[in-house]
Amino acid sequence: MKTMPIFQVERIGWRRHLGMCLALMMMVAAAHAADPQPYTVAIAKTGDAELDQMLKESCTLISLNEAAPVGPFALVARARADVERFTIALQSLGYYQGKVQIRIANRPLDDRGLYDTIEYSPAQPPIPVQINFDLGALYHVRTLILDGEVPAEARQWLELKAKAPARAADIQQAREKLLLALQEHGYALAKVDEPIAKLLPETHELDVTYHVVTGKPITLGQVSVKGLQKVDPGFVGRHLQIAKGEPFKPSSIEKNRQELQNTGVFSSVRTRLGKNLDAQQQLPVTFMVSERLRHTTQLGAAYSTDLGASLSSYWQHHNLLGGGEQLTLTAGVTQIGGNSTTGIGYNVAVNFMKPDFLHADQTLHTNLAAIRQSLVTYDQDALLGEVLLTRKFSPFWTGSIGLGPEQSRITQQNETHDYTLLSIPASLKYDSTNSLLDPTKGSIITPSITPVGALTGSEIRGFVVIQLSASTYFDWHTEGRSVLALRGLLGSIEGAGRFDLPPDKRFYAGGSNTVRGYRYQSIGPQFADGDPQGGKAIATATVEYRQRILENYGIVAFTDAGQVSPDTLLASGDWRIGAGIGARYYTGFGPLRLDFALPVNQQSNSGSFEIYIGLGQAF
């Protein structure tokens, strides 16, 4: 048997005892301390919703709680930094005597025992942080002082009045508004120093002084454009409405910058003012431009259960002759499947656009297209032409008039007819919306009238198509996140009987452009086999609510209604109603749209539901 010295046995026992003690101490420490230290935040309400929101947004104790856990010392440092942020927030809204109190584990921040309290607090429950405010009196502006030689009307340019709440943000904005107003009135070199405020604690008021140096009114010097390569300088000159010698006015300069940007030939347009006055004591202005790529190629796709899938492509030259002319070639395959089609269709088109045609705000459009449609309603092969002159009368109003020759062969109900027509479309458009693919405010109103006559060899009488379409958008003060959208259409055809009209010129409803949930063109009078006949009058209306969710997603709910009358608008047909919901995914080039709709009151051959997928809102 192997023996072991006594002293070695004692040493082993001592080590075992020490290990047990250390383990026990670690268990006790783990039960009573945590690093990082979890905490909860309770922030008191002040009774001022705007201030409450500002205080919450300023609070790093809240914003960094989960994102950046901290230990005891860092937690106290974070709280002390928030006291400074809260004080700035209180003063920005006029509470210059406001006080902030933050307590951690019911101890104030200057409590010497606070660190030990946090150090030995367990992870659960989290340590409480309580934030309270004593607002004090709301200060008001007593006197506004403009120090310097300024125009007599400069005081009103401040847009800040005596007795107004002494909000720091308003006082600072008043300085910026005064400076912009001075510049807008020709004082290009004006300077307005940071405001100096004098607190009057006895009366809870503030005296504010703005030191102003206006200088002399300045006129424009040389107006030049730099960066031109392929764009004709004469084309650019026609879009510049400012010239040397005119009074300096930032709004006019910005308007001209936007005008150049809107020509479509530049990827960017920037304004650069001279650093110094020239020899004539004038201020030079330079527009720095970068020309966009001359050629663009794009592919597109869409799908709906009624018209099936469509694939399209186009190639565009943005500056064909140096004057912003656009040449566009398009080709597409349509009606790939779909419950309202009978075969695959196509469209091919060539479009030429000439801006500044005979006038700076006038554009000439010419278009030649070949199309094939194979629909349940009719089959059509057509060659279409158009020459259209558009004139922009104001930022919101545009008018157009043109000529549209066409040659088509249309088959409906096994009867085929050839048509050679000439139309004279004329319209007036009001557009105050803020986006082409995703408008959130503004309206579009378009009345139009199109006389159509038969050329040699056609079998029909002349007629006139009259339409009024409108849409409007209401943003519920949410910067485009909650929008109510409305649209409507009224139309009537005069001068010919219903069956004297070419089938493609009659009115139809049903589909994404009129009443969703119904098959394309299915609403209105029908033949004995249930196929659509088309009518001479139409009325449709839509109510759609759009709600954005998170950053890039949205949902919509909508109701469409419409009717097609066989004769006149007053002799109304049967109203059909569709309703549905949709989803949106917002991208940098517009929202991707998915809509699902049902017919509320079905008619024969209207279908049971429809799905629509595309780019941009439905209207």
Side-chain angles (χ1 to χ4, degrees):
M1 176 182 293
K2 187 176 181 180
T3 63
M4 183 177 293
I6 299 241
F7 74 89
Q8 189 170 353
V9 174
E10 292 175 345
R11 185 182 303 170
I12 292 173
W14 171 79
R15 287 180 176 176
R16 181 178 300 165
H17 178 71
L18 178 61
M20 293 176 62
C21 290
L22 289 174
L24 181 60
M25 291 173 64
M26 292 176 64
M27 293 175 61
V28 171
H32 292 284
D35 191 356
Q37 175 61 54
Y39 64 90
T40 60
V41 180
I43 183 168
K45 298 292 185 180
T46 66
D48 183 328
E50 182 182 5
L51 179 58
D52 287 340
Q53 183 65 26
M54 186 179 296
L55 292 169
K56 183 177 180 181
E57 292 174 353
S58 303
C59 184
T60 61
L61 285 167
I62 294 177
S63 62
L64 299 180
N65 190 356
E66 296 183 1
V70 290
F73 284 93
L75 175 58
V76 175
R78 181 177 292 178
R80 293 185 187 278
D82 272 356
V83 171
E84 297 294 328
R85 294 186 178 90
F86 292 144
T87 301
I88 293 173
L90 291 171
Q91 292 180 357
S92 70
L93 291 186
Y95 297 99
Y96 291 91
Q97 291 181 328
K99 297 179 180 179
V100 182
Q101 184 184 64
I102 299 180
R103 300 179 70 88
I104 300 177
N106 204 30
R107 290 175 176 266
L109 299 184
D110 56 0
D111 189 324
R112 292 184 178 182
L114 177 59
Y115 293 103
D116 289 339
T117 299
I118 301 174
E119 180 73 28
Y120 294 104
S121 293
Q124 294 297 329
I127 196 167
V129 178
Q130 177 67 46
I131 306 172
N132 293 290
F133 305 97
D134 179 6
L135 299 185
L138 175 63
Y139 276 61
H140 289 76
V141 175
R142 187 183 74 165
T143 306
L144 294 170
I145 303 171
L146 296 182
D147 178 28
E149 296 182 3
V150 296
E153 62 271 25
R155 184 176 297 275
Q156 69 184 28
W157 298 342
L158 280 168
E159 296 188 13
L160 182 66
K161 306 297 182 183
K163 305 302 180 183
R167 298 158 54 108
D170 293 345
I171 293 172
Q172 182 63 32
Q173 288 176 6
R175 168 187 173 271
E176 297 169 359
K177 290 177 180 178
L178 175 59
L179 180 59
L180 291 175
L182 288 168
Q183 294 174 344
E184 192 70 10
H185 285 77
Y187 297 96
L189 305 181
K191 295 181 180 179
V192 182
D193 293 343
E194 292 290 333
I196 300 174
K198 180 180 179 181
L199 285 173
L200 304 171
E202 298 82 6
T203 59
H204 304 124
E205 291 178 311
L206 210 66
D207 287 341
V208 184
T209 300
Y210 298 91
H211 178 68
V212 183
V213 178
T214 58
K216 296 180 179 180
I218 300 299
T219 56
L220 295 179
Q222 183 66 38
V223 179
S224 58
V225 180
K226 290 187 178 181
L228 295 179
Q229 297 179 5
K230 300 293 185 179
V231 177
D232 182 6
F235 168 74
V236 175
R238 289 191 294 272
H239 288 267
L240 287 177
Q241 304 299 318
I242 57 175
K244 181 177 181 179
E246 294 183 1
F248 175 84
K249 195 171 185 179
S251 60
S252 294
I253 296 173
E254 173 60 17
K255 180 180 179 182
N256 280 261
R257 188 200 68 80
Q258 292 180 359
E259 179 70 20
L260 291 180
Q261 188 73 68
N262 292 339
T263 59
V265 298
F266 301 118
S267 59
S268 68
V269 181
R270 295 178 292 110
T271 304
R272 178 182 295 173
L273 300 178
K275 295 182 178 179
N276 301 296
L277 300 180
D278 60 18
Q280 290 76 38
Q281 297 300 296
Q282 296 177 320
L283 189 65
V285 178
T286 303
F287 293 94
M288 309 296 296
V289 301
S290 296
E291 296 184 5
R292 66 181 298 186
L293 294 175
R294 302 184 74 194
H295 307 142
T296 301
T297 301
Q298 289 191 5
L299 301 175
Y303 174 80
S304 63
T305 47
D306 52 1
L307 290 177
S310 65
L311 302 173
S312 62
S313 65
Y314 85 82
W315 176 90
Q316 187 174 74
H317 195 303
H318 300 286
N319 188 34
L320 186 64
L321 304 176
E325 300 87 356
Q326 292 184 2
L327 177 66
T328 306
L329 309 178
T330 62
V333 180
T334 61
Q335 300 156 207
I336 306 174
N339 55 40
S340 298
T341 69
T342 58
I344 295 177
Y346 67 80
N347 60 73
V348 180
V350 179
N351 179 271
F352 176 75
M353 185 272 288
K354 170 65 178 175
D356 299 342
F357 182 74
L358 303 179
H359 192 277
D361 293 320
Q362 196 161 263
T363 303
L364 178 67
H365 300 265
T366 60
N367 187 65
L368 182 64
I371 66 170
R372 166 170 289 180
Q373 298 188 87
S374 299
L375 304 170
V376 170
T377 310
Y378 54 78
D379 294 330
Q380 179 185 32
D381 289 282
L383 184 64
L384 311 174
E386 183 179 55
V387 179
L388 190 67
L389 193 65
T390 63
R391 178 73 172 269
K392 195 171 184 65
F393 302 114
S394 74
F396 298 144
W397 289 97
T398 303
S400 66
I401 189 168
L403 294 173
E406 63 179 271
Q407 174 68 52
S408 63
R409 171 167 291 184
I410 302 178
T411 300
Q412 186 179 55
Q413 293 287 297
N414 297 319
E415 292 188 11
T416 301
H417 296 274
D418 292 325
Y419 301 95
T420 304
L421 307 175
L422 178 66
S423 60
I424 308 175
S427 67
L428 187 64
K429 183 177 182 179
Y430 172 84
D431 187 349
S432 62
T433 57
N434 59 343
S435 172
L436 177 64
L437 294 178
D438 186 22
T440 59
K441 59 183 178 180
S443 301
I444 301 175
I445 304 173
T446 307
S448 66
I449 181 169
T450 305
V452 182
L455 298 177
T456 303
S458 294
E459 304 173 357
I460 67 168
R461 298 167 50 190
F463 56 93
V464 178
V465 181
I466 304 170
Q467 294 188 82
L468 174 63
S469 62
S471 59
T472 189
Y473 308 89
F474 301 95
D475 181 2
W476 301 111
H477 307 289
T478 57
E479 297 182 355
R481 298 188 65 85
S482 302
V483 176
L484 179 65
L486 310 175
R487 73 174 172 182
L489 170 66
L490 295 175
S492 180
I493 302 175
E494 306 296 333
R498 179 158 52 107
F499 292 110
D500 294 325
L501 298 170
D504 67 317
K505 302 301 181 186
R506 303 170 197 162
F507 286 122
Y508 303 87
S512 62
N513 291 328
T514 51
V515 184
R516 286 164 286 185
Y518 293 80
R519 291 178 177 175
Y520 181 65
Q521 296 183 333
S522 64
I523 296 176
Q526 297 180 344
F527 291 103
D529 59 1
D531 289 348
Q533 293 179 351
K536 289 185 58 181
I538 187 172
T540 68
T542 293
V543 177
E544 180 169 290
Y545 181 76
R546 303 168 182 169
Q547 178 62 56
R548 199 152 176 165
I549 301 175
L550 301 177
E551 186 65 25
N552 297 319
Y553 298 91
I555 57 174
V556 303
F558 55 84
T559 299
D560 300 336
Q563 62 89 16
V564 174
S565 171
D567 298 309
T568 64
L569 187 62
L570 296 178
S572 175
D574 295 328
W575 282 87
R576 303 297 176 186
I577 299 174
I581 58 175
R584 302 289 184 268
Y585 178 74
Y586 292 89
T587 68
F589 49 85
L592 297 177
R593 169 170 49 94
L594 169 63
D595 287 339
F596 174 83
L598 300 168
V600 175
N601 52 339
Q602 292 187 351
Q603 67 172 29
S604 60
N605 295 328
S606 65
S608 56
F609 71 90
E610 300 294 338
I611 296 174
Y612 310 92
I613 302 174
L615 174 64
Q617 299 288 3
F619 62 95

